[in-house]
Amino acid sequence: MALGLVEFEPADGEVAEQAWPLWSIVIRYHWTQTFPAGKVLRISHAYDNRPAGGLFYWSHPPEDWLLDSYAAYCIDEGTSRAIVAALPEAEGTGQVFGQAWNIAYVLRTANSWAGPIGRFRLTIDKGAEDRVVSLCAEGIVRTGPTTFVLEKTDFVPEGDLDILIVAPLED
């Protein structure tokens, strides 16, 4: 606590004292790219994602402290209920718990290009059928039991894309 790395919430009735980490790890990649003048160039990025995440708590309807997540990931009524159905309840709390990955996909830098992204395709694989995914993306289509695709033509992103994937805790 003295270093500002953890916050403790005291025991309250039936709920034991809880520790909340106040730290995160961020990995960013950067590279320089030279584009040949006057040539059509196809660009494709692929990488193993190492998203932020950790323990995840949820309740339906959401408590006030969850409303930021509700808005950031466009969690609607159906998605909220799916999260509750997918995760076990923390004994007697009315909250479910599991793990989550928070993927921040940077799109706004595309607005500094000379024009829109001609053909944009993003594939999201939530990894397992028992996981729930939520994001703010108009036009996303489920293409398989764990996959979703977002395709746009002449795409001018209005902002970055935040993706939430929620899963039961692994053994």
Side-chain angles (χ1 to χ4, degrees):
M1 282 180 53
L3 295 174
L5 297 175
V6 66
E7 180 177 283
F8 288 94
E9 186 174 313
D12 180 19
E14 297 179 14
V15 179
E17 180 182 50
Q18 297 181 25
W20 298 95
L22 300 175
W23 53 269
S24 62
I25 297 171
V26 176
I27 299 173
R28 291 198 174 109
Y29 299 93
H30 172 81
W31 60 92
T32 301
Q33 180 73 46
T34 303
F35 297 99
K39 297 198 181 215
V40 174
L41 186 66
R42 181 176 179 188
I43 300 170
S44 177
H45 296 277
Y47 56 91
D48 289 333
N49 197 3
R50 304 280 192 258
L55 294 176
F56 180 82
Y57 294 87
W58 192 255
S59 64
H60 182 82
E63 297 174 29
D64 288 346
W65 64 276
L66 295 169
L67 294 179
D68 288 343
S69 292
Y70 219 80
Y73 301 106
C74 294
I75 298 173
D76 60 16
E77 180 85 9
T79 303
S80 182
R81 289 185 186 280
I83 291 170
V84 169
L87 303 178
E89 182 179 340
E91 296 176 21
T93 65
Q95 293 180 340
V96 296
F97 68 97
Q99 60 188 357
W101 295 273
N102 310 95
I103 303 167
Y105 195 83
V106 178
L107 291 175
R108 67 179 180 262
T109 56
N111 291 332
S112 64
W113 297 358
I117 301 171
R119 287 184 295 160
F120 175 83
R121 178 183 170 98
L122 175 67
T123 302
I124 299 169
D125 190 333
K126 63 181 183 170
E129 290 185 49
D130 64 346
R131 296 177 179 173
V132 178
V133 65
S134 192
L135 64 150
C136 302
E138 191 174 316
I140 193 158
V141 177
R142 185 180 193 135
T143 57
T146 64
T147 55
F148 301 81
V149 171
L150 177 64
E151 292 184 295
K152 301 280 185 181
T153 302
D154 296 326
F155 182 43
V156 178
E158 294 178 11
D160 295 338
L161 187 59
D162 293 310
I163 304 167
L164 173 69
I165 299 176
V166 176
L169 288 173
E170 296 176 1
D171 291 336

